[in-house]
C-alpha cells in the first residue's frame, strides 16, 4: 500500500476547506498577551517602561535649551546662554545613558520573551486533542502568518512602551507650542491623517497577506521539494526540475503580486498624509516668523519643536503601523490559537480507565471531513471486545486508518460516539487517554537522535532505561537493527549529523515500531500498517509475535500486575497476516461489511473470502 493510497484511506474526498473561526477582539487580545508577558518577566517589563518614559523629558527639553541659547546670543544675555548650554549638555548625557540602559534591558527582555512565546505556540499546537486542524487550509494559512509573527511578539512590549514615549513627547511639544500661541496647536492636529493611515494600512496589508498565504505555502513546499534530499533521486530521473521551478515561480508571484499592489496603494495614501503635515509645518513657521512677529527664540523654539514633532509623529506612525500590522495581529492570532486549543479540549474531564472489562464500542459513528460531501465512515456499529486481537481490512479508501485515528482521538466523530466500557472517550482527559495507548503508524516520524532516544521516546519515564529500550526492540523484532550499528544504542541516527548513520526505510520503521512497544500494559495497541516497508515473510513473523504478546504471553499486564484487557488493532493489507487475528473487521465503502474470525468469514463466502482468495492466488 503506497503512501498516497494511505492518504486516500484517511481522506477519500481530500483535505477539508473549513473556516478557522472568528478572530478575537484586538484590544482584548492585546491585554491577554500583555498579561502573559508580564507573568513571564514582570521586573524587566516595568524597568523597560520606566526608562522609556524617562527618555521623553530630556528629549523634549532640547527645544527649550536651544531657544534660551538663541535668546542669550541675540539679547547678549550670558545667563540664558549658560543655562541653555548646561541644559543641553545634561539632556544629551541623560538621553545617552537612558538609551544604553534601555537597549540592554530590551535585548534581555526580548530574548526571554521570544523563548517563552515560541514555546507557548508550540505547546498550544501540540496540545490540541485532534490533528484535524493540521489539514484545514484556513487553519494552516493563519498559522503560517502566526509562525512569522511570533518572532515579533517579544518586541510587542518594547513597541508599545516606545509608542507611549512618543505620545508623551507629543503632549510636551503641544504644551510648548500652545505657550507661544494657541493657534499653533493645529500643527499636532495636522498629524491626525498620518495616524489614521498608520492604523488602516497594516490591517489591509495583513488581510491581503492571509488571502494569498496558500500560494506562499505552496512556494515554500516546492522549494523544499526541489532542494531536499528525499525527492532528489526522483527529480533527477524524471528530469522535471524546470517544471518545479516554473510552478514555484508562479506560486511566488501569486503570493507576492497582490501584496505589492496593496503596499504601493497604501504607500500612496501615507505620502499624501505626510504632505498635509509638511504643509502645516511650513505654514506654522511662516506665521510665527512673519504675521505673528515672535522673537528669534520663539522662532527657534517652533522650528526645533516642530522638527522634533515631525520626528515624533514619524516614529509614532511607524510604531503604530508595526503595532497594528504585526504585533497586534500576532496577538490576535495567538489568542485565537489559545481559544481554538481550549475549545478542542473542552469535553475532557473524566479520568482514563485502568483496564478494559467489556471493550470499545462504536455507536452509529460517522466521520466526514469538514467541507466534504462523502463520509469516510458512515453509521459504524461495532464492538471490539477486551483482550482480543482485531484486524481491520478493506480496499484503499475504505476508512481503515481513519477508524484507528478516531480511537486515538486524532479526530472526533461527526456523528455518533465511541465508548470504552460505556464511557464516551471524548469525555476522557485526552492526555490520560493517550497515556494508555501505544502503537505504530505507517507515516511514522524519523527521529534523528541517538538510537536509545529514538526508541525510548515512546515512554518518556524510561527514556534512559537501556533494559526497557532493549526489551521494546526485542518485542518489535528490531534488535537486529541495533546490532548492525557501530555504537549500538549510542549511535547517532541521520546522515546530516556529525558521526550520524543512515539506515534504510524499513529499519526506520522497525525502530518506530519498537518505540510503540515501549509502554507496558496499554489499553489499546494500535498498529496501522506498522510493517508496510517490510516483506511479507518478515511481517508474518512479526505479527505472530504481536498476537502471542497480546493474548497474554507478554505485555498485557499493567503496573499493578493485573490484566488490562488490552485490545490489539492491526491494519494491514496482507490477508495472510490478518488471518491470525481473533476478530477481523472488513470495511467496504465506508461501512462495516463483515465481522468474524478468518474461518467464519471464509465460510460465509463474502467480501473477505473474495479478497483473500484473490490475494492468495496472486502470491501463488
Amino acid at each position: 500500500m503506497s503512501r498516497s493510497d494511505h492518504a486516500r484511506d484517511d481522506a477519500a474526498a481530500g483535505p477539508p476547506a473549513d473556516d478557522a473561526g472568528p478572530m478575537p477582539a484586538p484590544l482584548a487580545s492585546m491585554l491577554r498577551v500583555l498579561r502573559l508577558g508580564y507573568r513571564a518577566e514582570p521586573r524587566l517589563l516595568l524597568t523597560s517602561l520606566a526608562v522609556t518614559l524617562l527618555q521623553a523629558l530630556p528629549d523634549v527639553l532640547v527645544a527649550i535649551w536651544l531657544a534660551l541659547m538663541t535668546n542669550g546670543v541675540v539679547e547678549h544675555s550670558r545667563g540664558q546662554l549658560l543655562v541653555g548650554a548646561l541644559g543641553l549638555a545634561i539632556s544629551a548625557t541623560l538621553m545617552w545613558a537612558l538609551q544604553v540602559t534601555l537597549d540592554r534591558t530590551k535585548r534581555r527582555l526580548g530574548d526571554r520573551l521570544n523563548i517563552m512565546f515560541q514555546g507557548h505556540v508550540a505547546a498550544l499546537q501540540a496540545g490540541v486533542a485532534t490533528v484535524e486542524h493540521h489539514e484545514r487550509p484556513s487553519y494552516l494559512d493563519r498559522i503560517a502568518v502566526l509562525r512569522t509573527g511570533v518572532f515579533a511578539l517579544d518586541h510587542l512590549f518594547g513597541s508599545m512602551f516606545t509608542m507611549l514615549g512618543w505620545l508623551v513627547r507629543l503632549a510636551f511639544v503641544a504644551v510648548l507650542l500652545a505657550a507661544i500661541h494657541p493657534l499653533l496647536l493645529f500643527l499636532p492636529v495636522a498629524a491626525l491623517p498620518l495616524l489614521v493611515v498608520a492604523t488602516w494600512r497594516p490591517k489591509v496589508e495583513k488581510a491581503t497577506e492571509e488571502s494569498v498565504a496558500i500560494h506562499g505555502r505552496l512556494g515554500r513546499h516546492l522549494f523544499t521539494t526541489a532542494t531536499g534530499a528525499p525527492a532528489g533521486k526522483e527529480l533527477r530521473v524524471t528530469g522535471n526540475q524546470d517544471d518545479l521551478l516554473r510552478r514555484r515561480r508562479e506560486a511566488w508571484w501569486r503570493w507576492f503580486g497582490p501584496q505589492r499592489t496593496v503596499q504601493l496603494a497604501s504607500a500612496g495614501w501615507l505620502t499624501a498624509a505626510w504632505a498635509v503635515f509638511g504643509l502645516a509645518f511650513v505654514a506654522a513657521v511662516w506665521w510665527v516668523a512673519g504675521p505673528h512677529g515672535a522673537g528669534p527664540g520663539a522662532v527657534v523654539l517652533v522650528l526645533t519643536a516642530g522638527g522634533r514633532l515631525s520626528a515624533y509623529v514619524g516614529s509614532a506612525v511607524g510604531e503604530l503601523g508595526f503595532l497594528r500590522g504585526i504585533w497586534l495581529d500576532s496577538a490576535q492570532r495567538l489568542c485565537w490559537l489559545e481559544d481554538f486549543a481550549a475549545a478542542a479540549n473542552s469535553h475532557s474531564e473524566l479520568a482514563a480507565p485502568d483496564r478494559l472489562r467489556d471493550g470499545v464500542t462504536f455507536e452509529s459513528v460517522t466521520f466526514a471531513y469538514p467541507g466534504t460531501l462523502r463520509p469516510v465512515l458512515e453509521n459504524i456499529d461495532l464492538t471490539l471486545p477486551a483482550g482480543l486481537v482485531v484486524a481491520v481490512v478493506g480496499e484503499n479508501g475504505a476508512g481503515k486508518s481513519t477508524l484507528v485515528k478516531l480511537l486515538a482521538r486524532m479526530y472526533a466523530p461527526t456523528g455518533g460516539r465511541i465508548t470504552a466500557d460505556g464511557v464516551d472517550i471524548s469525555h476522557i482527559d485526552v492526555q490520560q487517554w493517550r497515556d494508555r495507548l501505544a502503537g505504530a503508524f505507517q507515516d511514522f516520524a524519523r527521529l534523528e537522535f541517538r538510537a536509545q532516544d529514538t526508541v525510548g521516546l515512546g515512554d518518556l519515564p524510561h527514556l534512559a532505561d537501556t533494559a526497557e529500550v532493549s526489551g521494546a526492540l526485542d518485542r518489535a523484532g528490531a534488535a537486529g537493527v541495533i546490532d548492525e550499528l557501530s555504537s549500538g544504542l549510542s549511535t547517532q541516527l541521520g546522515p546530516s549529523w556529525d558521526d550520524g548513520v543512515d539506515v534504510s526505510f524499513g529499519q526506520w520503521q522497525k525502530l518506530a515500531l519498537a518505540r510503540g512497544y515501549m509502554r507496558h500494559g496499554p489499553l489499546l495497541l494500535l498498529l496501522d500498517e506498522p510493517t508496510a516497508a517490510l516483506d511479507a515473510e518478515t511481517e508474518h513473523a512479526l505479527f505472530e509475535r504481536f498476537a502471542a504478546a497480546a493474548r497474554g504471553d507478554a505485555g498485557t499486564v499493567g503496573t499493578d500486575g493485573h490484566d488490562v484487557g488490552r485490545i490489539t488493532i492491526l491494519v494491514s493489507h496482507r490477508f495472510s497476516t490478518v488471518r491470525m487475528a481473533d476478530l477481523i473487521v472488513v470495511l467496504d465503502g465506508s461501512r462495516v461489511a463483515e465481522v468474524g474470525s478468518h474461518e467464519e468469514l471464509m465460510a460465509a463466502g463474502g467480501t473477505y473470502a473474495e479478497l483473500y482468495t484473490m490475494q492468495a492466488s496472486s502470491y501463488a
Side-chain angles (χ1 to χ4, degrees):
M1 185 177 184
S2 68
R3 198 174 187 83
S4 60
D5 292 336
H6 189 75
R8 285 197 299 271
D9 189 36
D10 280 337
D18 192 30
D19 181 34
M23 295 283 273
L27 292 180
S29 300
M30 181 73 76
L31 290 175
R32 286 169 59 178
V33 173
L34 285 174
R35 285 195 296 268
L36 185 63
Y38 181 78
R39 287 196 298 267
E41 294 294 335
R43 292 171 57 186
L44 286 175
L45 277 175
L46 293 177
T47 302
S48 180
L49 175 60
V51 175
T52 301
L53 295 180
L54 282 174
Q55 273 190 314
L57 183 59
D59 190 12
V60 171
L61 291 177
V62 168
I64 295 178
W65 307 137
L66 290 175
L68 285 174
M69 292 177 67
T70 301
N71 285 335
V73 171
V74 173
E75 300 173 6
H76 305 288
S77 173
R78 190 172 183 180
Q80 292 189 69
L81 186 61
L82 288 175
V83 170
L86 182 61
L88 192 62
I90 293 174
S91 286
T93 303
L94 285 176
M95 285 190 293
W96 172 81
L98 290 172
Q99 187 61 49
V100 170
T101 303
L102 183 61
D103 287 343
R104 293 181 178 179
T105 303
K106 288 173 67 175
R107 189 180 304 116
R108 187 177 179 188
L109 176 64
D111 290 342
R112 294 190 176 187
L113 290 180
N114 191 21
I115 294 172
M116 185 274 290
F117 278 122
Q118 289 188 55
H120 185 53
V121 170
L124 287 172
Q125 284 191 267
V128 177
T130 70
V131 297
E132 179 182 340
H133 54 286
H134 289 300
E135 298 175 352
R136 295 185 180 185
S138 54
Y139 174 93
L140 294 174
D141 291 342
R142 283 191 181 178
I143 288 297
V145 178
L146 175 59
R147 282 173 178 164
T148 301
V150 73
F151 292 100
L153 276 175
D154 59 299
H155 299 296
L156 169 64
F157 301 90
S159 179
M160 182 174 293
F161 298 161
T162 302
M163 182 70 183
L164 290 175
W166 295 129
L167 292 178
V168 170
R169 288 173 171 86
L170 287 171
F172 282 152
V173 168
V175 171
L176 292 177
L177 293 174
I180 299 174
H181 197 285
L183 286 178
L184 290 177
L185 288 175
F186 86 93
L187 190 55
V189 173
L192 290 179
L194 280 169
L195 299 179
V196 172
V197 173
T199 304
W200 161 80
R201 183 185 185 190
K203 181 179 180 181
V204 174
E205 292 179 355
K206 275 295 176 182
T208 303
E209 181 185 355
E210 183 167 328
S211 69
V212 297
I214 189 171
H215 301 300
R217 288 195 291 112
L218 176 59
R220 286 187 289 274
H221 166 70
L222 291 173
F223 176 80
T224 302
T225 302
T227 59
K233 295 184 290 296
E234 182 175 341
L235 289 178
R236 284 160 177 75
V237 170
T238 58
N240 59 358
Q241 297 96 322
D242 291 340
D243 179 69
L244 281 182
L245 291 175
R246 177 186 60 79
R247 292 172 185 268
R248 177 185 175 275
R249 187 164 52 248
E250 291 175 354
W252 216 247
W253 274 109
R254 291 192 193 101
W255 173 78
F256 176 71
Q259 293 187 76
R260 181 182 61 175
T261 301
V262 170
Q263 289 167 358
L264 288 175
S266 63
W269 284 103
L270 188 62
T271 302
W274 269 113
V276 171
F277 179 77
L279 290 173
F281 180 46
V282 172
V285 174
W286 171 82
W287 184 77
V288 170
H292 183 59
V299 173
V300 170
L301 183 61
V302 171
L303 283 170
T304 306
R308 301 190 84 76
L309 177 64
S310 174
Y312 299 157
V313 169
S315 299
V317 166
E319 292 295 342
L320 183 60
F322 282 117
L323 195 63
R324 177 64 184 88
I326 297 179
W327 297 312
L328 182 56
D329 180 83
S330 298
Q332 282 185 273
R333 293 173 189 277
L334 177 60
C335 293
W336 160 78
L337 182 58
E338 289 179 338
D339 295 341
F340 185 93
N345 303 332
S346 60
H347 299 297
S348 304
E349 69 274 4
L350 300 179
D354 293 328
R355 55 183 52 83
L356 290 175
R357 295 176 174 82
D358 300 322
V360 173
T361 302
F362 288 71
E363 300 177 2
S364 302
V365 170
T366 295
F367 177 78
Y369 291 100
T372 62
L373 298 177
R374 185 172 67 84
V376 181
L377 296 173
E378 187 173 7
N379 294 325
I380 300 295
D381 290 304
L382 177 66
T383 297
L384 307 177
L388 295 191
V389 177
V390 179
V392 182
V393 299
E395 295 184 318
N396 294 335
K400 303 185 297 297
S401 293
T402 300
L403 184 143
V404 170
K405 290 175 182 178
L406 288 176
L407 286 172
R409 292 187 61 187
M410 301 298 177
Y411 301 91
T414 52
R417 65 174 190 161
I418 303 173
T419 65
D421 287 347
V423 177
D424 191 334
I425 65 171
S426 67
H427 294 167
I428 297 174
D429 180 83
V430 66
Q431 189 56 54
Q432 289 191 33
W433 178 253
R434 296 260 174 80
D435 287 343
R436 304 311 311 276
L437 306 181
F441 302 88
Q442 182 182 7
D443 48 349
F444 56 87
R446 300 191 187 191
L447 304 179
E448 295 186 353
F449 305 126
R450 292 187 313 125
Q452 166 106 18
D453 296 340
T454 297
V455 176
L457 281 169
D459 190 18
L460 278 177
H462 297 100
L463 175 66
D465 191 328
T466 302
E468 289 288 342
V469 171
S470 299
L473 288 163
D474 287 336
R475 290 191 292 275
V481 176
I482 303 300
D483 293 340
E484 296 177 9
L485 300 178
S486 58
S487 300
L489 288 173
S490 299
T491 305
Q492 169 66 49
L493 300 178
S496 58
W497 308 105
D498 291 341
D499 300 323
V501 174
D502 193 15
V503 296
S504 68
F505 185 82
Q507 289 173 318
W508 275 119
Q509 190 165 52
K510 284 187 175 182
L511 294 175
L513 185 58
R515 189 162 58 245
Y517 265 96
M518 278 294 297
R519 281 183 179 160
H520 287 284
L523 298 178
L524 297 177
L525 178 61
L526 307 175
L527 302 172
D528 183 11
E529 298 279 8
T531 54
L534 307 179
D535 58 80
E537 183 178 356
T538 301
E539 182 187 82
H540 187 85
L542 284 175
F543 187 64
E544 283 185 324
R545 184 179 304 190
F546 302 160
R551 292 185 178 111
D553 291 343
T556 58
V557 295
T559 55
D560 58 1
H562 291 91
D563 186 352
V564 298
R566 183 173 80 190
I567 301 173
T568 298
I569 299 175
L570 174 74
V571 175
S572 177
H573 63 282
R574 292 183 177 131
F575 287 81
S576 59
T577 295
V578 303
R579 64 178 296 175
M580 290 179 287
D582 302 311
L583 189 70
I584 299 173
V585 178
V586 183
L587 295 178
D588 185 24
S590 76
R591 297 177 179 271
V592 174
E594 298 172 308
V595 178
S597 67
H598 172 74
E599 291 75 16
E600 292 170 344
L601 295 178
M602 290 299 294
T607 302
Y608 175 84
E610 179 183 351
L611 293 174
Y612 181 87
T613 302
M614 185 185 306
Q615 193 174 97
S617 62
S618 65
Y619 277 118

